[in-house]
Structures are given as C-alpha cells and as structure tokens.
Amino acid sequence: MDVLTYHGGRIDAARALFPAVTAPWLDLSTGINPVPWTPPEGLAVDAAPLPDRSALARLEALAAAHFGVAPERAAAVPGSEMALRLLPMLGVSQPIVAVRPGYGTHGAVASARVDHAGLEHWAGRTGSLLLANPNNPDGVHRSDGQLARLADAQARAGGWLILDEAFADAMPQPGFAGGERVVVLRSFGKFFGLAGVRLGFVIAAPEVVGRLRDLLGDWPVSAHAIAWGGAAYADRAWIAATRSALVERAAALDTVLVRHGLVPKGECPLFRMVETPGAAALFLRLAAAGILIRPFADAPERLRFGVPVASDLARLDEALRHG
C-alpha cells in the first residue's frame, strides 16, 4: 500500500493490489483536471527536428503573461517536480525547510519541516522556506498579503521563500508575483489536465532563471510541450470557462461527500480532503469498487478526493452508498 501514499495516479499499482476489481478504474487520487484542454484542429507537432528556440521563447512569454510576470522571469522545465529537485542547484539558501502537511517531494528535497501553524508568527530564518499555495492535501490558500509577509520575513533573515503554485491556475487570483528572493514553481499539467505533457515553469529573478537555463540546456522541453503549452496559455476563453466549471464540480463533490457524513476541506477546486477515523476502511471500500482515492501514510485519518466529472461523481455516490 505504501506505493499509493507517496503520489497519486498509480492505477498500475492499484490494479496489482486489487486484482479482483473488474470494473474500469476511476482515478480520483490526483488533483488533475478531469476535462483536459484539447488542441485545435490543425495544430501539428513536428517531433523530427530539435524544438524551435523561437517557439520556446513564445511559450515562455505567453506563460509569463498568464502568470503576470515579465518574460525574463519565467523559464520552462519538464514538469514542476523536476524544478523542485533542482532547487539546491539554483542558488537558493540552504537548508530548505518544508511546511507540513505538504507534497511528498517537498519532504524529499527538504532537510527540516515546520507545521503550518508555525507560519502564523513566522519571523524568518536563514535557508529557504518551501510551501505550496494552494496547499496539498488540505487545500489551504494564503492571500498575497500573507505570502508577502513571509517573503519579507525570509528576506530580512537572509533567506528565501519558495512557493509551489502547482494548483494556482484553478484559483481566481493570478498567483504571487514574487520578489528577488522568491522562487515560484508552476505546473501546466494539473489545471490543463495534461500531466503527461510534462511541462512546468520556474518564476524567479533573472539570475536564478539564468542558472536554470544553464542546467537544462537549449532544449529543456519537447516540441509537443512547446506547441500545446503555447496554444493552451493563449486560450483565454477555455481558461475562464474551466475555472468556473471546476468550482461547480467541486461544489457538487462537496454535496456528495456531506451526504455520506464526510466533511470536505480545502479551497482548491481540483480536490478536496476529508478526515475520518474510518479512512482506511473507506479507502478499501472504494478500491473494491474500482475507485482510487489518495491515502496518506503519515496521516492515516486523511483522504484526498480529486474532483470528478458528473458521470464519475454519480459512480462515487453509488459506491459510498452501497460500498
């Protein structure tokens, strides 16, 4: 079971652990949009030559405009997961202190942890403070004012603030613009529903971005990621409509969870967290019905539900009723 507690999306492991399940698996273990962006007809990707550097620059400029930052502050990476693992090589101060609860990868790259409650009166410290906004798995979302206070405290102490905004595209606000001692990580795959494209961005001061470019070389992401990412960030109508649709789907999920005695938590419309003493039994019950949700080894009372489309929500409702 440990393999299912570190990352979501392990349908392969679920099939192996629950071989008696004959129904098609429904993966609600991630926070990935279940209705992905689709490329327009005629958007061809030529994967034969090396990716076009001018097309990469256009992608980064479109993404920077979406994030609300200058183009020279944004660099494409093959997924924000890789950016997390590259942090020690980007010149940010060590040690990295990760806020908990948080991503499994945050704990892997950090040498110390601090509880979320410890940020209320955070006075700053040397090294780098790493947190997600919205946070995973509890969906806590901090305002720009709160983030600015943390950034100022870190800067006064000679440290850095590292913000993982993997789920920020689903929120109505554009995300935190950052500062000279702030590094922001963004994900393409979660909001656009295309995690397999492996595209993310680092937003930072130009000298940090320069170090990242030196590490990754001239072709950091694929031609596929460049073509689809550029078109998706330019699709303002789809972005606006999807933000509204996700809020509606999250509200519908809340209704189903409450109907079955579960209290949903979180402000991110891509997922909800519940806490219940019966979490282990509930996880197994849903798995027996071919529905994978996310358990947590360090918090066995917690479960995270990705937000499903209406037809899949009906299946979840039925499993919760008769499981």
Side-chain angles (χ1 to χ4, degrees), residues 130-168:
L130 169 61
L131 71 149
N133 194 54
N135 191 52
N136 173 36
D138 54 20
V140 169
H141 184 255
R142 289 182 166 80
S143 68
D144 281 358
Q146 292 172 312
L147 296 175
R149 182 183 64 78
L150 292 173
D152 289 344
Q154 281 299 102
R156 287 195 303 270
W160 291 67
L161 176 66
I162 303 165
L163 280 178
D164 188 334
E165 293 188 336
F167 293 104

Side-chain angles (χ1 to χ4, degrees), residues 37 58-59 61-63 65-66 188 192 227-239:
W37 177 86
R58 178 178 178 273
L59 163 65
L62 286 166
H66 176 77
F188 173 79
F192 289 96
W228 281 30
Y233 282 119
D235 195 345
R236 306 307 302 170
W238 186 91
I239 290 169

Side-chain angles (χ1 to χ4, degrees), residues 211-286:
R211 292 188 198 104
L212 178 64
R213 295 194 195 283
D214 288 343
L215 283 170
L216 296 182
D218 288 338
W219 301 284
V221 296
S222 70
H224 195 108
I226 291 171
W228 281 30
Y233 282 119
D235 195 345
R236 306 307 302 170
W238 186 91
I239 290 169
T242 297
R243 283 177 174 154
S244 296
L246 285 172
V247 170
E248 294 173 2
R249 290 189 200 111
L253 174 60
D254 290 345
T255 299
V256 167
L257 293 174
V258 169
R259 182 184 301 144
H260 297 286
L262 301 170
V263 180
K265 298 181 180 180
E267 298 178 61
C268 180
L270 283 168
F271 61 87
R272 289 292 191 256
M273 185 186 78
V274 302
E275 293 180 308
T276 171
L282 178 57
F283 173 83
L284 292 173
R285 205 169 86 200
L286 292 178

